Structures are given as structure tokens and as C-alpha cells.
Amino acid sequence: MPQIQLLVVQPTPFCNIDCRYCYLADRTNKSVVAGETLHNLFTQVFASGWADQGLSVVWHAGEPLVLPIAFYRDAFAMIERLRPAGLSVKHSFQTNGTLIDDAWCAFIAEAEIAVGVSIDGPRHLHDRNRVTRSGRGTFDKTIEGIRRLRTHGVPFHVISVLTAESLAVPQEMFEFYLAEDIEHVCFNVEESEGEHRSESFARAGIENAYYDFLSEFWRLSAMHPGRIQYIREIDDAQRNVLRPRDAGFTNQLATPFAITSMDWTGNIATFSPELLGLKSERYDNFVLGNINRDRLVELAERPLLKRMQTDIDAGIALCRERCEYFSVCGGGEPVNKLFENGSFATAETTYCRITKMRATDLVLDRLENVSNLVEGGKAPPPFANPPPVM
Amino acid sequence: MSLRVKYQTILSQLAPAGAVGASLALGAAAPAVASEPPTGDQPSAVDKEKVSERLAAVRDAVTALDQTRTDAAKAEGRLAWGNWGWGGGGGWGWPNWNNWHNWRNWGNWFRNW
């Protein structure tokens, strides 16, 4: 039986800004998901037994905060009424931060919503790509939102999209996070998805630049313990590499319904969330069905799902056969294979070389460095007395 | 010295610092100098042995170390892993379900509430 671990709900496709690297084609559409559609979704998800180990819901794929707080109050109350006793449901927003005000902070705190804010670093880097429809930078509004969250004591993390320009300045990025007391950091790379073709991927030396960026950022973080408490790419790489032989490893992005996505019309997709809203003749635009017309549990038997799964599995088989990093990756990201290589049934991508391979190399190289330090007797084990938390 | 023994030696010295301390130690073990621009000519594990063999050896070393610590803990009547594991919750059974890149490990995130 499938297990939904993450439910991505598009409350509206609309976004109030117009980032240059955005893959969402429909972001000028101001439609809003109907209450009945949400009711159908959660009724079916809870009845399916596919979420009996708890459910994380992320409101995304458009700017969630363009809708009024009352929308979420009503939606959360309805979900709470439908929620089976004992089942945990956690809500999350991934937002551009420009609309965060005191009322949002109070609601986010009250409803215990996890918040991720997209900010690409200091103004000159952020405003290169994260712009309004008239082309103006959004840095001031975003940083105001972040500072407001901090003032209200609302925990949050940031996602920063790294480009060739930001990869060249790890220290500047690090100092920016420190200056803004940002403690939880996730890095994305500007990638090729949908209609967007990555300029960064086309640059020579981008893989080494990513390695060097992470390496220096990690070093700076170690020199300032307690300031940056979470670097997703470093933490994930360590956790993937430093695990016992029998530790389970699942590629969630290749597991049917582990991530389930619904757009504002009720269309349902799975695998990489970015697929919903993208066009494909071969895969019927990745739409398995519609929650207002179809039964969720029957979507698992759809020929389209079998077709996608067959191709994704073929790609994973190639990864398993060819890739030295398979044990810490599990076969990569279907959406990147499709948009970089033209097919799910392929293996290596620039995206995986950068984000999986180089991050893994970094952890292995650091183990090597520690070994050399100890063997050479040139330095005492640096880990015996970790520096005090600042 | 086999790869497994080599990694076991490294990890046995990292382990007492816990996950946070070990990460700091690994982070601080950078060859680069802060004032120099990144060069891309880092020593790469890829150049020496196959990455898959290294990764397998690390997992073998973690497993062996885990067993050693479990045995020691049993003898002393305490929990084995304490704050060492990167599992965010004390165990290694980490489901890799934070690998969508607009996402993060909310399970870890919520422990901060």
C-alpha cells in the first residue's frame, strides 16, 4: 500500500513576484482552490490508509501567502474535523516572504506552521533573479518578512538558490546569514526544469564551484559553532555517507505517492512535485486523475502511473549499474532526468553531479583530511574538544 | 590497513563528540585557507579508490563501531548511540524523504518547536 509522506497542495497558482528561474508557467493565474476540492482531497487521503503514519502538508506551487489568513483558518479547521484521531498532520508554507506581516506571524505561531523563506543571499545576489513583474528587486520586502518572523520568535529556515555568482562568494553568503541571524539554511541550485534552462549549469567548472562553495561554507560554519545550526546539503550528505550497512534508504522521489501533489483544480500527480503543471504528451502532463472525479486509491492502478514507474525504474536500474554514488542517492530525481536528458529512463544529470556527487565527495574528502591530521600527528584531534557554542 | 579499519579508526575518534561535534570537526578539517578564493583543486577521494568502495567501507566501519558501542553500552547498562547518530531522533532508520529540493527534513524541523 502506498504511503503518502508529503502532500503538496497548490492553494493558488498565482505568485506576486516573477523570479527569472521559476518553472511554474501558470503563475499569473489568480484562481484559488475550492473548499470542496480540499474536502475531497483530505477525505480521500484519510480514508485511503495511505497516510496512517502521519502527514506533512506543504502549501506551495504558487505563493501561499497571497491568500488571506481566513482561507487557511477555514482549511485547517476543515482538515482537523476530518483528521482521524491519533493521526498527526503538520502544515508548512514555502514562501517568498514578501507578504509576511504581524498578523501572519501570529497565525503561523498559533497554528505551528513550519515556514521556509526563499532568499538568495544579500541584495545584489537576491535581486538578480527574484524580481517583481516590473523587474524590481524583492530583497527589501523579503528581508523585512524574515526580520518580522525573528521579532515574533517564529522558527523558520531559508532556501537559497545558488547561481554561478553566489557560488563564487561563500564567505559573503555566510556573513549575510550571520548578520540576519539565519540559523537553518538549505541550498538549491539554479536548475533546468520545465521551460527554464539553467545558465549556471552551462558554466564551465560549475561542479567544482559547488564543491568549493560547500567546503568553504562548512569550514566557516565550523569556525562559528552554534550560529548556523543546520546546512541541509551538509547534514544530508553526512547522514547519507555515515550510516550503517543495514540502514534503509528510500528514494522518495521515485516512490509512487510518497510525495503526492494536487493543483488548485484537483489534479493529482506524484514523484517529483515539479511535474504537476509541466507539459508532456508522453505522460499526459503527468496528471493521474482529479480528486473531484476519481477515487484516490484507484489512481495507483492507472496505466499512466505504470508507464511512468516503468521508465523511472529503468532510469534507476541504469544508475544502479553505472553510478559509484548509487548507495547514497538511490537513483536520482526523475524531473531532472526528464528535463536534462529527455527521458526518465536515463541516469546521470548535471543536477545529480553537482548536488549528490560533489557533496558526497566533500564528506569523503573531509574524512580523509581528518585521517591525515591524526596520522601525521600535526594537530591534536580537533574533535576532542569542540569549540564552545557562541 | 583496510579501508574499513581506516574509517573505523577515524570514526571512533569522531564519535565521542556527537553528531554536532563530529560535523564541526569535519568542517574544520578543510584544506582551504579562508582568505584565498576557492580553487576547485581539492583532494578528491575519487582519485584514489572507487567511491562505491569507500562508501561501502564507511558503512562497514559505522556498523562495526555501532556494534562495539552497543556492546560497551550493554556492559555499562546505558544507551549506545546517545548523541552520535545523524538520524535526528536518535536512530539510524532515516527515511530519505527530504530529498525534494524545495523541501527540508520537516521531521527534524519540528523537533525545534
Side-chain angles (χ1 to χ4, degrees), chain B residues 9-111:
Chain B
T9 304
I10 299 168
L11 293 174
S12 65
Q13 296 183 68
L14 285 168
V20 173
S23 184
L24 289 174
L26 289 170
V33 178
S35 58
E36 292 178 357
T39 59
D41 59 354
Q42 61 284 340
S44 176
V46 186
D47 299 336
K48 299 169 190 168
E49 286 95 3
K50 287 178 71 176
V51 170
S52 57
E53 290 172 4
R54 287 182 165 264
L55 291 170
V58 171
R59 288 193 291 275
D60 286 346
V62 171
T63 302
L65 187 61
D66 189 9
Q67 188 56 50
T68 304
R69 289 170 66 90
T70 301
D71 292 346
K74 278 180 185 169
E76 295 174 22
R78 59 181 168 80
L79 287 174
W81 277 103
N83 59 353
W84 153 241
W86 264 272
W92 283 103
W94 176 63
N96 181 26
W97 65 287
N98 60 331
N99 52 1
W100 174 37
H101 33 277
N102 274 356
W103 187 244
R104 56 158 289 167
N105 190 349
W106 296 109
N108 282 346
W109 175 248
F110 276 110
R111 72 187 172 185

Side-chain angles (χ1 to χ4, degrees), chain A residues 5-6 8 23 56 58 60 90-94 108-109 112-116 155-157 159 168 170-171 184 186 188 191 193 208 211-212 215-216 218-219 221-223 225 230 232 234-236 238-253 259 273-274 324-325 327-329 333 336 351 356 360-361 364-371 373-374 381-383 386-387, chain B residues 1 3-4 6-7 9-64 66 81 84-89 91-113:
Chain A
Q5 295 163 339
L6 176 63
V8 183
Y23 58 86
S56 286
V58 60
H60 189 32
K90 298 286 188 186
H91 294 285
S92 316
F93 289 149
Q94 183 60 41
I108 288 166
E112 296 193 349
I113 301 164
V115 181
F156 67 95
H157 69 266
I159 293 181
Q171 181 149 358
H184 300 84
C186 310
N188 285 357
E191 56 194 299
E193 282 180 333
N208 279 345
Y211 178 105
D212 286 339
S215 176
E216 179 63 0
W218 192 7
R219 191 190 70 80
S221 182
M223 295 295 103
Y230 178 83
R232 183 185 59 187
I234 297 293
D235 285 28
D236 284 0
Q238 289 180 95
R239 192 159 34 197
N240 289 345
V241 171
L242 298 165
R243 70 179 205 266
R245 210 167 32 222
D246 57 355
F249 192 96
T250 306
N251 185 349
Q252 186 190 30
L253 293 162
I259 299 176
E274 298 96 320
E324 290 286 308
Y325 299 80
S327 69
V328 291
C329 169
E333 310 221 6
N336 297 103
Y351 180 81
K356 299 287 185 186
T360 301
D361 288 344
L364 289 174
D365 289 345
R366 288 297 167 86
L367 288 170
E368 200 73 24
N369 292 343
V370 169
S371 176
L373 283 172
V374 174
F383 32 79
Chain B
M1 185 191 298
L3 272 177
R4 181 186 66 77
K6 174 181 165 180
Y7 285 126
T9 304
I10 299 168
L11 293 174
S12 65
Q13 296 183 68
L14 285 168
V20 173
S23 184
L24 289 174
L26 289 170
V33 178
S35 58
E36 292 178 357
T39 59
D41 59 354
Q42 61 284 340
S44 176
V46 186
D47 299 336
K48 299 169 190 168
E49 286 95 3
K50 287 178 71 176
V51 170
S52 57
E53 290 172 4
R54 287 182 165 264
L55 291 170
V58 171
R59 288 193 291 275
D60 286 346
V62 171
T63 302
D66 189 9
W81 277 103
W84 153 241
W86 264 272
W92 283 103
W94 176 63
N96 181 26
W97 65 287
N98 60 331
N99 52 1
W100 174 37
H101 33 277
N102 274 356
W103 187 244
R104 56 158 289 167
N105 190 349
W106 296 109
N108 282 346
W109 175 248
F110 276 110
R111 72 187 172 185
N112 294 326
W113 283 93

Side-chain angles (χ1 to χ4, degrees), chain A residues 332-349:
Chain A
E333 310 221 6
V335 70
N336 297 103
K337 291 182 177 186
L338 187 64
F339 287 105
E340 284 193 42
N341 301 335
S343 169
F344 286 140
T346 58
E348 194 171 307
T349 62

Side-chain angles (χ1 to χ4, degrees), chain A residues 83-348:
Chain A
R83 181 179 63 84
L87 182 77
S88 159
V89 176
K90 298 286 188 186
H91 294 285
S92 316
F93 289 149
Q94 183 60 41
T95 174
N96 60 44
T98 59
L99 300 171
I100 294 173
D101 59 14
D102 290 338
W104 273 113
C105 290
F107 176 65
I108 288 166
E110 168 199 324
E112 296 193 349
I113 301 164
V115 181
V117 181
S118 300
I119 187 164
D120 288 356
R123 181 194 306 276
H124 73 98
L125 294 169
H126 179 93
D127 284 350
R128 275 174 176 263
N129 291 302
R130 301 192 66 83
V131 294
T132 64
R133 290 198 166 76
S134 59
R136 282 193 305 226
T138 59
F139 178 83
D140 288 338
K141 291 282 187 191
T142 300
I143 203 69
E144 188 183 328
I146 283 176
R147 289 171 183 165
R148 208 168 285 264
L149 287 170
R150 233 180 36 230
T151 300
H152 284 260
V154 176
F156 67 95
H157 69 266
V158 300
I159 293 181
S160 298
V161 175
L162 297 173
T163 60
E165 290 75 22
S166 46
L167 285 171
V169 290
Q171 181 149 358
E172 187 180 350
M173 292 288 283
F174 183 79
E175 287 169 357
F176 166 74
Y177 299 125
L178 253 52
E180 293 297 336
D181 283 334
I182 292 169
E183 298 174 337
H184 300 84
V185 180
C186 310
F187 294 119
N188 285 357
V189 289
E190 184 229 340
E191 56 194 299
S192 295
E193 282 180 333
E195 294 173 355
H196 179 72
R197 287 290 161 269
S198 169
E199 290 177 16
S200 300
F201 280 11
R203 300 269 185 106
I206 193 72
E207 293 175 38
N208 279 345
Y210 183 81
Y211 178 105
D212 286 339
F213 177 91
L214 274 192
S215 176
E216 179 63 0
F217 198 92
W218 192 7
R219 191 190 70 80
L220 290 166
S221 182
M223 295 295 103
H224 299 77
R227 298 298 303 274
I228 305 282
Q229 296 181 20
Y230 178 83
I231 310 165
R232 183 185 59 187
E233 283 54 44
I234 297 293
D235 285 28
D236 284 0
Q238 289 180 95
R239 192 159 34 197
N240 289 345
V241 171
L242 298 165
R243 70 179 205 266
R245 210 167 32 222
D246 57 355
F249 192 96
T250 306
N251 185 349
Q252 186 190 30
L253 293 162
T255 305
F257 299 102
I259 299 176
T260 299
S261 311
M262 186 190 81
D263 72 12
W264 71 275
T265 70
N267 286 332
I268 298 288
T270 186
F271 305 117
S272 304
E274 298 96 320
L275 293 174
L276 190 57
L278 300 180
K279 303 295 180 194
S280 166
E281 283 185 27
R282 173 168 170 74
Y283 298 117
D284 302 337
N285 298 338
F286 312 103
V287 175
L288 295 172
N290 187 288
I291 205 69
N292 295 317
R293 293 191 301 269
D294 303 304
R295 292 188 63 218
L296 179 67
V297 291
E298 291 175 358
L299 301 185
E301 303 306 320
R302 290 284 160 102
L304 171 60
L305 182 70
K306 308 283 183 199
R307 202 158 72 238
M308 291 171 70
Q309 183 76 70
T310 298
D311 290 349
I312 288 170
D313 286 349
I316 291 173
L318 287 176
C319 291
R320 183 183 289 110
E321 179 188 321
R322 298 175 182 173
C323 185
E324 290 286 308
Y325 299 80
F326 182 79
S327 69
V328 291
C329 169
E333 310 221 6
V335 70
N336 297 103
K337 291 182 177 186
L338 187 64
F339 287 105
E340 284 193 42
N341 301 335
S343 169
F344 286 140
T346 58
E348 194 171 307

